[in-house]
Amino acid sequence: MKRQFYITSAKVVIILIVLGLVGSCVSQPKELPAAYSVNIHKLDEREILAIRSNRDANPFIEPGSLLKGKVNEFIVFQIDISIDQTRTIKIDSIMQDKEKNYIEAYYPEQLIAYWDQFVTRTEKASLTSYAKKVSLIKKIVLPTDTLTLYSGEYTYYLVFIGPYPIKKPAQAQIDVSTSSGEYNSFKFTIQ
């Protein structure tokens, strides 16, 4: 009986040793990605068209006509945020033209109201383009200056709209802070 016990115990010990050796051969997990990162850049015309190639349905392309030309100028920034846990993100932004006049940042409600003034209610094509703009605005424009985001990667767009042409060089600053204490400040000179 004792002999059976020792044999069983030896088998258990051998199994544990083998498992320990096999476990040590397994590669260690790679380092976790950064807990938080943010990147902001100003979009050029090519990047704006890449958001939606149909110019009539792209909410980041200034309206204009052959008679009047452009009335406003849009400056669009892409904000990429990557986080590993829930955080409250606060985004403060300011833009001034060469003469220190403020250029307003537009959130979804303001941008939708802006485009509402250009829709022709009697033309089906105008209504269709407007509906596509509104849908896209609700999906990708920075919703407010304070967001609660969960683990993942996010892309938002922030648009400043001023009288055409904005007097340059204009200065923009976008500050991003989190509930965990991270802070980033991005400064841009628009030529």
Side-chain angles (χ1 to χ4, degrees), residues 17-79:
I17 290 172
V18 170
L19 287 175
L21 291 173
V22 170
S24 67
C25 294
V26 175
S27 65
Q28 296 298 318
K30 293 182 180 176
E31 214 173 297
L32 291 174
Y36 160 82
S37 69
V38 63
N39 185 38
I40 300 176
H41 78 278
K42 180 188 169 294
L43 300 183
D44 61 25
E45 185 176 348
R46 179 187 53 78
E47 292 169 310
I48 290 170
L49 280 172
I51 294 169
R52 171 134 319 146
S53 60
N54 178 349
R55 296 178 80 83
D56 292 333
N58 190 323
F60 303 121
I61 297 177
E62 302 94 341
S65 69
L66 292 174
L67 296 176
K68 289 185 185 179
K70 289 183 181 181
V71 177
N72 296 109
E73 183 173 357
F74 292 11
I75 307 292
V76 183
F77 291 92
Q78 180 176 321
I79 303 170

Side-chain angles (χ1 to χ4, degrees), residues 100-135:
K100 304 296 183 204
N101 297 312
Y102 289 99
I103 308 299
E104 187 176 357
Y106 279 57
Y107 295 104
E109 299 78 23
Q110 295 160 303
L111 192 54
I112 290 168
Y114 176 87
W115 281 111
D116 189 56
Q117 67 184 327
F118 295 101
V119 69
T120 306
R121 306 268 182 231
T122 57
E123 291 180 27
K124 184 178 180 184
S126 178
L127 287 170
T128 302
S129 293
Y130 175 71
K132 289 178 180 178
K133 282 179 186 170
V134 168
S135 176

Side-chain angles (χ1 to χ4, degrees), residues 129-157:
S129 293
Y130 175 71
K132 289 178 180 178
K133 282 179 186 170
V134 168
S135 176
L136 190 58
I137 288 168
K138 289 179 179 179
K139 287 180 189 171
I140 65 173
V141 173
L142 185 68
T144 64
D145 61 353
T146 303
L147 310 162
T148 299
L149 301 178
Y150 302 96
S151 177
E153 295 182 356
Y154 300 86
T155 297
Y156 293 106
Y157 296 89

